[in-house]
Amino acid sequence: MPTTDPTPASSRGAHEEYLRSLGLPLMIVPSTRCREILPRSAGVSAGLAVFASGLSALDRSNDYAVALLERVGEDSPEWDLIGLSDPIILLLLLALVLFAAAPVVGWLVARVVRRLGWASGSVVGLASAIALVVVAPLTFEPHDGPGLRTTSLVLVGVLVGTYVGAGSLVRWAARRVRRELGTMGHMVARVLPVLMLAVLFLFFSAEIWQVMVALSWARTFAVVGVMGLLTVLLVAITTRDDLQDELEARAPGRELRLSERINILLVPVLATLIQAVLFACLVFLFFVFLGWIAIPEATETRWTLRPTEDLGGLLAGVPVSVTLVRVSLTLAAFSALNLAAAAASDAAHRARFVRPMIDEVVHGLAARESYIRARRRG
């Protein structure tokens, strides 16, 4: 993948790969994206075919285990006689191997396809698509794992995702996460101390603990989801206004397709949301740690008027309570919303963290113009 701007004389392929690296796959003309669906989806289809087979093997192993349980009972000595040669264990091991192999197979197929021409890559992509649909249902019983209807729907999702450039956006987002992790210190130093003045008061207030102790997990996630939705809407609206002003100032009357407008809005919105999510994760961990060391069990019981409830499942034994986790989740979501509000209203924050994203979009528009000129020459 190109790491520098293509020159004006570069091939159309170089310009297209550069647009994908900028997170702008919808800037590529629809005919090219449609033509490349099969080659570019080959790796994902092959990996999902292997993963679906793993699900079928796991489901079949579970069927054998349930049948044995119904036949002999839970306390039967036959359970102690199950060895590595038993179908239950063999299918379980096969499922684990297939789950581990799925990403490797997908990566290898994608690598191979990139070295092939369009015709050969399309053949491999078509074979991978067929494998995704039929391998798991035909290898195992129809009721084991995903059936033909499910695998067909998954294939449709893969093809649509490939057409709109979902893979390119995911790779761009992964690189963005690494980049934001490297610059998180500046944001934390600037935003966290001011935010703590307001949020710490809520954290040490008995009222929020009394509210959260009475909520179920479903209601807790609903509260977090509402604040998350408000964060997305706030970021999207303010970013759209900024981009509209930028387009009017730099290139009045520039005609963009609807998909291109969505793409140039999506990139800075996703970048801002990545910042907000990483910041929320940091705030969540901070409050969990602070609650663990500053709020003993007796204090929590006095605030909530209920005995503390420990975490269960895989988190059993972690020395924090369910209510502390719920309070920390809520305050973390509130902090993300506060960060989005700061991006919309604080001029210094916008200059430091938002303006570079807008400049990246402007750079992407320049890359689009170069790509259009390359198409006209070609």
Side-chain angles (χ1 to χ4, degrees):
M1 181 171 293
T3 56
T4 58
D5 296 23
T7 65
S10 300
S11 66
R12 282 187 297 173
H15 286 279
E16 290 167 356
E17 287 302 314
Y18 186 64
L19 286 171
R20 289 190 175 96
S21 72
L22 295 177
L24 300 172
L26 293 178
M27 294 292 185
I28 300 170
V29 294
S31 59
T32 298
R33 287 186 278 124
C34 185
R35 182 174 180 268
E36 294 181 347
I37 281 182
L38 285 176
R40 297 191 70 86
S41 66
V44 176
S45 297
L48 287 177
V50 176
F51 186 81
S53 299
L55 287 177
S56 296
L58 183 63
D59 195 12
R60 190 61 179 162
S61 174
N62 183 68
D63 289 344
Y64 282 137
V66 171
L68 180 61
L69 179 64
E70 292 176 349
R71 188 176 75 250
V72 303
E74 184 177 352
D75 299 325
S76 172
E78 286 193 37
W79 287 99
D80 299 328
L81 300 177
I82 293 178
L84 290 177
S85 60
D86 190 273
I88 297 176
I89 303 301
L90 289 176
L91 286 168
L92 182 59
L93 292 175
L94 176 61
L96 294 176
V97 170
L98 291 174
F99 289 152
V104 177
V105 170
W107 177 77
L108 287 175
V109 171
R111 292 271 296 182
V112 169
V113 168
R114 280 199 294 268
R115 297 176 181 274
L116 300 175
W118 174 82
S120 300
S122 297
V123 171
V124 175
L126 179 61
S128 300
I130 294 173
L132 171 58
V133 174
V134 304
V135 166
L138 294 182
T139 304
F140 297 88
E141 297 293 331
H143 60 274
D144 290 328
L148 281 172
R149 180 180 178 182
T150 301
T151 54
S152 299
L153 289 175
V154 170
L155 176 61
V156 171
V158 169
L159 297 180
V160 172
T162 303
Y163 176 74
V164 300
S168 299
L169 284 171
V170 169
R171 289 191 293 271
W172 172 86
R175 292 193 299 270
R176 190 79 199 195
V177 168
R178 292 197 298 268
R179 176 177 171 182
E180 295 299 337
L181 285 173
T183 60
M184 228 16 220
H186 298 290
M187 180 180 297
V188 170
R190 179 176 182 84
V191 179
L192 192 60
V194 178
L195 180 65
M196 287 299 102
L197 294 176
V199 181
L200 276 176
F201 175 78
L202 290 175
F203 183 72
F204 287 105
S205 171
E207 285 76 10
I208 190 172
W209 290 77
Q210 293 167 4
V211 169
M212 299 311 298
V213 75
L215 291 185
S216 64
W217 279 115
R219 287 178 176 268
T220 301
F221 288 125
V223 171
V224 172
V226 167
M227 285 192 279
L229 180 61
L230 290 175
T231 302
V232 173
L233 290 176
L234 181 58
V235 170
I237 291 171
T238 55
T239 304
R240 183 198 61 187
D241 294 340
D242 289 339
L243 286 177
Q244 188 65 33
D245 294 340
E246 195 67 40
L247 290 176
E248 291 295 333
R250 294 189 177 234
R254 170 182 275 152
E255 292 296 330
L256 295 174
R257 299 190 305 271
L258 176 61
S259 60
E260 293 177 321
R261 290 185 175 275
I262 293 173
N263 202 172
I264 63 172
L265 175 63
L266 189 60
V267 166
V269 167
L270 282 178
T272 304
L273 290 178
I274 287 171
Q275 286 183 348
V277 169
L278 292 176
F279 184 73
C281 290
L282 180 65
V283 172
F284 170 76
L285 294 175
F286 171 79
F287 278 122
V288 168
F289 177 74
L290 182 63
W292 175 55
I293 63 175
I295 301 178
E297 183 176 334
T299 301
E300 181 180 335
T301 302
R302 188 162 57 251
W303 283 352
T304 61
L305 305 178
R306 298 186 186 183
T308 59
E309 179 184 356
D310 296 329
L311 297 173
L314 296 176
L315 298 178
V318 177
V320 296
S321 67
V322 170
T323 307
L324 172 59
V325 173
R326 290 174 182 166
V327 170
S328 301
L329 275 174
T330 303
L331 294 181
F334 175 77
S335 300
L337 179 58
N338 185 279
L339 183 68
S345 59
D346 187 340
H349 182 96
R350 292 174 62 79
R352 182 66 181 270
F353 300 108
V354 179
R355 186 67 230 178
M357 301 177 192
I358 304 299
D359 292 338
E360 289 179 13
V361 171
V362 173
H363 178 69
L365 291 173
R368 170 188 178 268
E369 299 298 332
S370 298
Y371 167 61
I372 292 174
R373 289 195 296 269
R375 281 185 55 83
R376 290 170 180 167
R377 288 195 308 270

